[in-house]
Amino acid sequence: MKRINAVILDWAGTTVDFGSFAPTQIFVEAFRRAFDVDVTLAEARVPMGLGKWQHIEALGKLPSVDARWQAKFGRAMTAGDIDKIYATFMPLQIAKVVDFAAPIEGVVDTIATLRAQQIKIGSCSGYPRAVMEKLVPAAAAQGYAPDCWVATDDLAPGGRPGPWMALQNVITLGIDDVAHCVKVDDAAPGIEEGIHAGMWSVGLAVSGNEFGATWEEYQSMSPQEIATRREGAAAKLYAAGAHYVVDSLAALPEVIADINARLAKGERP
């Protein structure tokens, strides 16, 4: 039967950590501790979704960060510099990630709804395995436990925006067709990951990195500010190739119903 059999979910900003603050704050701290270079939270968000070493590399290439780095050291960032920042980042992230393990509002109920439809729950992350080994049990203790997970350093070819983590989920879950999978993410590299894997890709415009607000900040925002932020986030996710963009994972069952109707007509991603 042509229907969605699996969803493959990102972690921070998609299922846990509303606003994706655990990784972004640590990047700022790691640059400061390792080299006393200032990086803003907005800058730290730009490469979100990549593996963390690659994230640091991309962050160092941002014109604003590169200018500060060049002014301080008289040269561009090197691979050795990235290694030092990464080595600083990892223990900070491992220690902090459990504080951001609570499922986002609506996630637990949505997962229950999907499982009632015999949809399998896969997941992958830009976090390396050492971080995921702390995050996964912490999230499970608060009600969210996918059927499998893949870390960004698990596979030899690498992580996002390549398709490999998503495809490893297909293998582990035993899904018969990539077109029967939905990849859900709050950042552009994760959307591209799903597209490259041949899946339906769904972006989340409010709960994650592109919107960039805590749950409390979101709750206190004016409708106009929410609409402005949502529009900007959705534009980035659609530009990355998203087939659908919704606010949060709570809207996924409606999206899947629409995709199932399209699959029944013979459509593919």
Side-chain angles (χ1 to χ4, degrees):
M1 184 177 178
K2 294 182 177 180
R3 59 183 294 275
I4 294 302
N5 296 322
V7 297
I8 299 165
L9 309 174
D10 178 46
W11 281 77
T14 296
T15 53
V16 300
D17 186 10
F18 190 99
S20 195
F21 278 89
T24 48
Q25 289 178 337
I26 302 302
F27 284 122
V28 173
E29 182 69 8
F31 268 76
R32 186 187 65 78
R33 290 196 185 192
F35 286 102
D36 195 25
V37 171
D38 290 330
V39 173
T40 69
L41 198 58
E43 289 167 336
R45 289 189 178 282
V46 174
M48 189 57 64
L50 297 175
K52 301 314 175 194
W53 196 96
Q54 291 76 18
H55 186 125
I56 294 167
E57 179 183 38
L59 191 47
K61 291 179 179 178
L62 290 179
S64 55
V65 176
D66 179 60
R68 265 175 253 138
W69 191 277
Q70 296 266 9
K72 189 174 182 68
F73 299 109
R75 58 171 176 79
M77 185 185 291
T78 67
D81 297 331
I82 299 169
D83 287 340
K84 183 175 179 179
I85 297 169
Y86 185 80
T88 304
F89 169 88
M90 281 295 290
L92 293 172
Q93 187 68 91
I94 290 168
K96 195 67 175 176
V97 74
V98 295
D99 295 337
F100 294 84
I104 291 168
E105 182 78 17
V107 165
V108 173
D109 289 343
T110 298
I111 297 302
T113 297
L114 298 177
R115 285 193 164 129
Q117 298 173 17
Q118 287 74 55
I119 293 174
K120 296 178 180 180
I121 312 298
S123 70
C124 53
S125 177
Y127 283 135
R129 175 161 284 268
V131 176
M132 291 298 291
E133 287 174 344
K134 296 292 185 180
L135 175 58
V136 170
Q142 299 185 66
Y144 172 61
D147 298 324
C148 69
W149 57 271
V150 182
T152 195
D153 57 349
D154 279 349
L155 305 173
R160 300 165 182 155
W164 306 290
M165 290 195 295
L167 294 176
Q168 183 60 55
N169 273 266
V170 171
I171 294 168
T172 301
L173 296 172
I175 305 305
D176 63 349
D177 191 331
V178 292
H180 298 163
C181 299
V182 176
K183 175 70 205 328
V184 186
D185 210 292
D186 63 292
I191 296 299
E192 294 170 0
E193 172 187 30
I195 296 297
H196 293 156
M199 302 173 179
W200 303 91
S201 288
V202 177
L204 304 183
V206 171
S207 69
N209 179 68
E210 300 299 348
F211 196 88
T214 66
W215 175 254
E216 292 74 21
E217 288 168 343
Y218 169 58
Q219 293 295 298
S220 65
M221 280 182 189
S222 68
Q224 181 178 0
E225 183 176 1
I226 291 172
T228 299
R229 287 198 182 211
R230 180 192 286 121
E231 183 179 358
K236 291 181 181 179
L237 295 165
Y238 277 126
H243 297 97
Y244 299 82
V245 175
V246 293
D247 284 0
S248 71
L249 200 70
L252 188 59
E254 295 177 14
V255 172
I256 289 175
D258 190 72
I259 293 173
N260 283 337
R262 294 174 68 177
L263 286 169
K265 296 175 183 176
E267 293 187 46
R268 294 180 67 84

